[in-house]
Amino acid sequence: MWVANPAESFQPIEGFGASDAWAAQFVGRWPEETRQQVARLLFSREFDPAGRPRGIGLSIWRFNIGAGSAEQGADSGIRDPWRRAECFQNAQGYWDWSKQAGQQWFLEAARRHGVETVVAFVNSPPVHLTRNGRAWGDGSEHSNLAPERYAAFAEFLATVCEHFEKAGLPFDYLSPINEPQWRWSRRNGQEGCPWTNEEIRALVPVLGRALQTRGLKVRLVLPEAAQLLHLLGPTEGEPLCSDQLRELFGDRSDALLRTPAVAPVVAAHGYGTTTSRTQLRRVRQDLGERLRTDHPRLRYWMSEYCILDENDGGRLRGPGRDLGIEPALFVAEVIHQDLVLAWATSWQWWLAISPYDYKDGLVYVDRNPAGGRVYESKLLWAVGHYARFVRPGAVRIHVQVDPAGARLPDESGPWISGFRHPRSGTYTFVALNRTDREVPVILRMADGSRLRFRSYLTTPEPDVNLQPGPLMETGRAWTLPARSMVTWVSEL
């Protein structure tokens, strides 16, 4: 038996999201019916006549502000055209707001569907500002942007933010750097720029003043660390850009948080910490304890993740598209641990749309700039179990196995997380069963209240994706199928 205690609450939830990099630049110009289909899968909160969600209702959308590698073409050094990005400004200072048209279409679609938060993020400064005239560095640990260009970069970003605010598509947050630990060079095959901690501390006040001068409401989010380990201490090979909780948010860096535009958020990526279930849990538990003890003002954003390299004890690797249940259940476990152990207030996936033979997308598409087919993944719907029903403003509540009841679950689960929606007075519970056996679940409320829940189920069956299921009631057994997820939503 599982017991939920609404009186014991934890972090508020800001939302769940994904980014438009890089395929939105093409898919956003596909035939209207196809791009509307993709937007509906990502953003819709409507139900079809059978009561099934039409989409996963993302509440956060990440918009990539490009550096101009697309205009350089093959001379950019980025071989894959799908990984290049346009820039709104050219070397002569001319602004062209028709650039990034496909991405702008998806930004408009996100807002039209009611997406609450937009995060604009930057992989590289514009190529006409960088040291080498490229959207990647020379392989050193220092930024590809010289200090004398910080003000120009800040003005570029402030102008972009101001334009979209005046256009009625404001950015809520701006992430000016991305994975600063990696020594981005031509071999990485995409736009990217390293930054040392010292360089970040120098850039942020300049950027903050540029935003403040224009009266913009956008807030800065930092540092988009490449791995959670880069927050927790010095890491081998990155002495100048790790230990970022202390270096950027500790006593010596109070000025950073005093910059008016900086949000009290530490953003980091989940890569490199999911090799085993033990590592997955330990790193997130360490991060959560460190934040609550030393940095209680900071909110933690898990701001980028997809399945890379080796994961889950060697059972899952990044290469090879897989639309099935296994990657979906694994990612759901990662989400659960980020929420429950690290107290993440938001969780954001990497590629919303992928043309690749890789486990990096929610929606997959044919690799054709002019148009093609759209492929749903179980992973899309797994993220939807949280995104669609755990809305911004929800508060995570305590859920545990009744110590007087059945034995504790083993390390393979099941896992249940619970959320209270203060405005409506309703509750959402997400349960995950990665085992090959059915699991009976009984849920009760610690205050003795009796609730009825609508259920939405995803299983290995091809068409069972957030499928409406039988009602669930507190105090009564509900069978969680093998290798499945269920979301329970209480009725008013």
Side-chain angles (χ1 to χ4, degrees):
M1 180 180 294
W2 296 77
V3 180
N5 185 2
E8 191 172 355
S9 60
F10 306 106
Q11 80 272 28
I13 301 299
E14 297 179 76
F16 298 83
S19 85
D20 68 358
W22 290 280
Q25 64 182 304
F26 295 113
V27 181
R29 295 178 295 184
W30 279 13
E32 182 74 12
E33 182 179 355
T34 308
R35 56 183 168 173
Q36 291 286 5
Q37 176 190 1
V38 175
R40 185 168 56 249
L41 288 170
L42 294 171
F43 306 133
S44 177
R45 284 184 265 167
E46 296 179 346
F47 295 88
D48 68 16
R52 175 188 160 180
R54 295 185 185 273
I56 67 170
L58 293 177
S59 48
I60 298 174
W61 186 240
R62 296 177 63 88
F63 180 93
N64 177 216
I65 299 176
S69 58
E71 287 86 348
Q72 293 179 322
D75 289 339
S76 68
I78 299 173
R79 296 178 60 184
D80 183 356
W82 287 70
R83 291 182 177 234
R84 303 171 191 156
E86 294 179 340
C87 186
F88 292 117
Q89 187 187 43
N90 66 15
Q92 289 72 44
Y94 174 74
W95 293 89
D96 184 352
W97 300 112
S98 69
K99 297 287 188 177
Q100 300 191 224
Q103 292 169 254
Q104 291 195 58
W105 187 90
F106 270 99
L107 174 60
E108 293 170 357
R111 288 301 199 187
R112 187 170 61 250
H113 279 278
V115 171
E116 290 88 344
T117 300
V118 173
V119 182
F121 73 101
V122 179
N123 287 323
S124 166
V127 294
H128 61 270
L129 296 180
T130 59
R131 297 178 194 263
N132 62 2
R134 296 291 183 267
W136 36 263
D138 60 4
S140 76
E141 58 195 335
H142 289 282
S143 174
N144 195 25
L145 185 73
E148 60 267 23
R149 296 288 183 89
Y150 286 5
F153 181 39
E155 284 301 310
F156 167 80
L157 291 177
T159 301
V160 173
C161 291
E162 184 177 50
H163 168 81
F164 280 92
E165 186 170 302
K166 289 181 176 179
L169 296 168
F171 301 139
D172 301 283
Y173 295 94
L174 171 63
S175 174
I177 59 177
N178 182 70
E179 297 188 341
Q181 290 77 23
W182 301 151
R183 301 185 180 188
W184 297 97
S185 65
R186 180 194 295 264
R187 67 180 180 83
N188 294 106
Q190 66 177 77
E191 296 187 350
C193 183
W195 295 86
T196 67
N197 292 330
E198 183 178 358
E199 289 167 338
I200 294 171
R201 288 194 295 265
L203 171 71
V204 170
V206 177
L207 181 51
R209 286 193 294 272
L211 298 174
Q212 191 175 31
T213 297
R214 295 171 184 249
L216 298 173
K217 298 177 181 179
V218 64
R219 306 291 300 279
L220 295 175
V221 173
L222 302 163
E224 299 275 4
Q227 296 181 352
L228 305 185
L229 297 174
H230 293 130
L231 299 179
L232 295 172
T235 55
E236 185 177 354
E238 295 98 20
L240 301 182
C241 50
S242 57
D243 199 12
Q244 290 191 308
L245 278 177
R246 185 177 69 86
E247 289 288 327
L248 300 182
F249 301 102
D251 292 340
R252 65 174 296 190
S253 299
D254 271 354
L256 212 62
L257 280 176
R258 286 202 304 269
T259 301
V262 174
V265 168
V266 57
H269 301 175
Y271 303 121
T273 57
T274 57
T275 303
S276 67
R277 183 170 281 139
T278 298
Q279 183 195 40
L280 168 65
R281 292 177 54 85
R282 174 180 52 78
V283 172
R284 284 151 183 79
Q285 193 159 26
D286 289 349
L287 176 59
E289 291 175 356
R290 174 81 172 272
L291 287 169
R292 292 189 289 276
T293 300
D294 298 337
H295 305 276
R297 293 173 54 198
L298 289 179
R299 310 192 304 272
Y300 162 52
W301 281 15
M302 205 306 298
S303 54
E304 185 181 311
Y305 184 76
C306 73
I307 298 175
L308 296 178
D309 303 321
E310 186 172 295
N311 304 274
D312 201 25
R315 288 183 287 273
L316 274 177
R317 296 184 62 83
R321 181 184 299 185
D322 187 341
L323 305 180
I325 196 68
E326 288 308 316
L329 294 177
F330 169 70
V331 169
E333 182 180 345
V334 175
I335 296 174
H336 174 89
Q337 305 299 4
D338 270 314
L339 295 172
V340 172
L341 297 181
W343 289 29
T345 62
S346 82
W347 202 95
Q348 300 163 34
W349 180 257
W350 176 217
L351 301 184
I353 312 164
S354 173
Y356 296 114
D357 186 21
Y358 211 89
K359 299 177 184 67
D360 56 1
L362 299 180
V363 175
Y364 286 87
V365 295
D366 288 337
R367 188 182 167 88
N368 183 344
R373 294 182 60 190
V374 175
Y375 309 88
E376 300 176 21
S377 69
K378 290 284 181 181
L379 202 155
L380 168 78
W381 299 107
V383 172
H385 274 271
Y386 295 93
R388 177 62 185 81
F389 298 108
V390 183
R391 303 304 302 172
V395 177
R396 188 174 67 84
I397 63 174
H398 192 210
V399 181
Q400 68 173 3
V401 172
D402 186 347
R407 67 179 180 85
L408 292 172
D410 61 29
E411 67 168 14
S412 61
W415 298 279
I416 301 178
S417 53
F419 307 87
R420 174 173 53 86
H421 297 269
R423 290 183 182 177
S424 63
T426 59
Y427 295 90
T428 296
F429 293 91
V430 183
L432 166 65
N433 178 20
R434 293 190 65 193
T435 71
D436 292 324
R437 63 183 184 279
E438 293 183 345
V439 177
V441 174
I442 299 176
L443 178 70
R444 71 176 180 86
M445 306 298 289
D447 60 7
S449 57
R450 305 285 295 183
L451 299 175
R452 285 165 52 92
F453 297 87
R454 289 173 283 122
S455 66
Y456 298 89
L457 187 66
T458 297
T459 73
E461 297 299 316
D463 296 325
V464 182
N465 302 310
L466 283 182
Q467 185 75 28
L471 289 174
M472 197 271 278
E473 298 183 18
T474 50
R476 293 189 178 182
W478 201 97
T479 300
L480 187 59
R483 300 165 65 225
S484 72
M485 290 183 70
V486 66
T487 294
W488 296 305
V489 182
S490 68
E491 298 182 328
L492 289 173

